[in-house]
Amino acid sequence: MKRNLLKIILSFMLSCFLLTGCGETQDLSQFKQSMEDICSKIAEIDIAINSIDPNKTTAPDELLSYMSDLDIIFQSFGAMDFPHEFDYLEEMAAEAATYMTEAVKSYKDAYSNGSYNEYIAEYAGKNYERAYKRLQIVLAFLHGEEPDDANLSIEY
């Protein structure tokens, strides 16, 4: 799933570069730049998380540090002011931010007191997945695609 997310993010960034053209408004240009920045930062953190050596004693601390950074990025994503043509995606971006905050809080709880709580970590993982799922849906719509998710209903 993480590799697919990285591909989606990189393809979005490429399409942003290719889609900059004549008649583009300043707001749309700023929005695209903000999205490129967010996607780049998420991709960097994703690579860093995947490079953590799980056998190191510092692995949980490294993970939690990267998760905190990820939460900050998702918060900026959730607070973005989308251009008028993409207003309908703002709520989904805010949901992604909320799920990521809950995931980070739960991961910190799962690793608290020098122990590991599998049930809390599982809950954190579900929220992490929900946050990324919403990011993927937003990116799909920004690409002009319709996400094919069985749990997603689209009203026209």
Side-chain angles (χ1 to χ4, degrees):
M1 180 170 126
K2 290 181 182 180
R3 295 210 192 288
N4 289 337
L5 177 63
L6 189 58
K7 288 179 186 176
I8 290 170
I9 291 171
L10 292 176
S11 69
F12 175 74
M13 290 170 44
L14 178 62
S15 69
C16 284
F17 288 122
L18 297 176
L19 292 176
T20 55
C22 301
E24 185 174 279
T25 66
Q26 174 109 5
D27 289 344
L28 191 55
S29 293
Q30 288 175 343
F31 174 75
K32 286 182 180 180
Q33 184 61 51
S34 295
M35 285 302 298
E36 287 174 23
D37 292 345
I38 286 170
C39 290
S40 293
K41 291 174 184 174
I42 290 172
E44 288 172 14
I45 292 172
D46 186 56
I47 290 169
I49 287 173
N50 288 321
S51 68
I52 294 173
D53 180 357
N55 297 318
K56 289 175 47 179
T57 57
T58 60
D61 292 333
E62 288 179 55
L63 174 64
L64 295 176
S65 175
Y66 288 130
M67 292 298 296
S68 293
D69 293 344
L70 198 57
D71 187 32
I72 292 167
I73 294 165
F74 267 79
Q75 290 308 308
S76 65
F77 172 62
M80 283 181 68
D81 184 24
F82 284 59
H84 175 70
E85 56 268 34
F86 300 116
D87 272 349
Y88 64 98
L89 297 172
E90 283 186 4
E91 185 176 334
M92 184 148 310
E95 287 177 10
T98 300
Y99 280 120
M100 185 56 71
T101 297
E102 184 62 25
V104 172
K105 179 187 169 300
S106 298
Y107 275 125
K108 287 179 180 178
D109 289 346
Y111 286 100
S112 67
N113 300 326
S115 63
Y116 176 74
N117 185 312
E118 181 180 345
Y119 298 108
I120 296 175
E122 185 178 320
Y123 174 73
K126 296 292 184 191
N127 282 300
Y128 181 84
E129 290 172 11
R130 290 178 185 121
Y132 267 98
K133 184 64 173 176
R134 279 155 181 76
L135 174 66
Q136 290 173 326
I137 290 169
V138 168
L139 292 177
F141 278 118
L142 291 175
H143 277 105
E145 301 167 2
E146 195 170 287
D148 56 345
D149 187 314
N151 297 320
L152 180 68
S153 63
I154 301 171
E155 295 180 22
Y156 296 96

